[in-house]
Amino acid sequence: MDLCDRLTDVRTRIEKAAQEAGRPSGRTTLVAVSKTFDATAIRPAIEAGQRVFGENRVQEAQGKWPGLRAETPDIELHLIGPLQSNKTAEAVALFDVIETVDREKIARAIATEMQRQDRKLRLYVQVNTGLEPQKAGIAPDDAEKFVAFCRETLGLSIEGLMCIPPADENPGPHFALLAKLAQRCGLDRLSMGMSGDYETAVALGATSVRVGSAIFGMR
Ligand SMILES: *Cc1c(COP(=O)(O)O)cnc(C)c1O
């Protein structure tokens, strides 16, 4: 299969998983995760009609996306990796969506930069559903309070929740937990599911899945 076939295959599987779960079709956005791949590798995906992409490093994304966007202006770019506060200005300038808002300091920095640059990004709060010490994200028990802080204290509009389940666990319960937390926060968008588990995520209500290797190949 070439990249175009893999992309079609992923899109078909998303639709099939939605259908089997009794979810309406066309409600899940495919975020193609292009980290570690250069512009030459990404271009065929754009030519195949893909418009939403995810990157996990600000600096790496800065190296390739301004050029690709000059060719195709309607690209939507998601930051899916941890954001350091000294990179906030660059991130706010480059990305359309930040999926990894996970602490007060970074939420404040994003709010300040959006105001300074007069840009409004779409934001997701990352939840560490597995309470893994090495992983970013707010603890599940603190999610509701943190979302309220972002909204009420900082005036940020939070679009949804995002999670990355522990690699060695059944992801289903983590996706279900994220859905439950989102409901409590009055949020209806869920970014969950990667190459190995996106069909499970769709069945459990994902409104976007972040798929890298199943589209671009092994990193
Ligand atoms: C790399 C990455 C993905 C994509 O992973 P694949 O297994 O290649 O699909 C999804 N989400 C995040 C946060 C990532 O860093």
Side-chain angles (χ1 to χ4, degrees), residues 11-214:
R11 288 191 187 128
T12 307
R13 285 169 184 268
I14 289 171
E15 277 310 306
K16 189 158 170 278
Q19 205 169 40
E20 284 174 3
R23 293 186 59 203
S25 80
R27 297 283 173 86
T28 308
T29 300
L30 172 59
V31 181
V33 176
S34 49
K35 65 187 185 198
T36 77
F37 291 93
D38 63 12
T40 309
I42 296 169
R43 211 170 272 119
I46 298 172
E47 280 161 11
Q50 181 64 29
R51 289 294 178 272
V52 186
F53 290 88
E55 289 283 347
N56 71 338
R57 285 162 193 258
V58 177
Q59 210 160 357
E60 184 191 333
Q62 275 181 316
K64 51 191 171 181
W65 283 102
L68 287 166
R69 267 199 174 128
E71 301 165 9
T72 312
D74 62 334
I75 296 288
E76 180 181 301
L77 204 55
H78 293 225
L79 178 64
I80 60 168
L83 177 58
Q84 308 302 326
S85 41
N86 63 351
K87 290 277 184 346
T88 311
E90 284 105 319
V92 166
L94 180 65
F95 289 93
D96 303 292
V97 183
I98 295 178
E99 299 203 13
T100 51
V101 182
D102 65 347
R103 56 197 193 279
E104 287 194 9
K105 188 181 175 197
I106 208 70
R108 279 188 200 281
I110 290 168
T112 304
E113 267 314 316
M114 290 201 316
Q115 210 152 34
R116 187 174 293 157
Q117 297 183 30
D118 194 22
R119 271 178 64 77
K120 226 176 156 64
L121 275 66
R122 292 158 49 204
L123 303 173
Y124 283 71
V125 167
Q126 182 176 354
V127 182
N128 189 355
T129 57
L131 287 170
E132 294 173 281
Q134 82 286 7
K135 203 165 268 174
I138 207 95
D141 283 347
D142 300 333
E144 217 176 329
K145 216 173 116 205
F146 182 67
V147 168
F149 165 80
C150 290
R151 285 170 163 162
E152 289 152 27
T153 309
L154 302 179
L156 292 173
S157 103
I158 300 294
E159 179 169 296
L161 301 182
M162 176 271 212
C163 77
I164 311 169
D168 56 354
E169 282 182 33
N170 175 8
H174 295 273
F175 297 154
L177 172 60
L178 196 72
K180 196 172 84 183
L181 292 172
Q183 200 169 30
R184 276 197 210 139
C185 298
L187 295 168
D188 59 6
R189 304 280 186 93
L190 298 167
S191 170
M192 56 189 199
M194 324 203 312
S195 290
D197 54 22
Y198 66 89
E199 289 156 289
T200 306
V202 169
L204 290 166
T207 55
S208 60
V209 292
R210 310 175 309 268
V211 180
S213 47

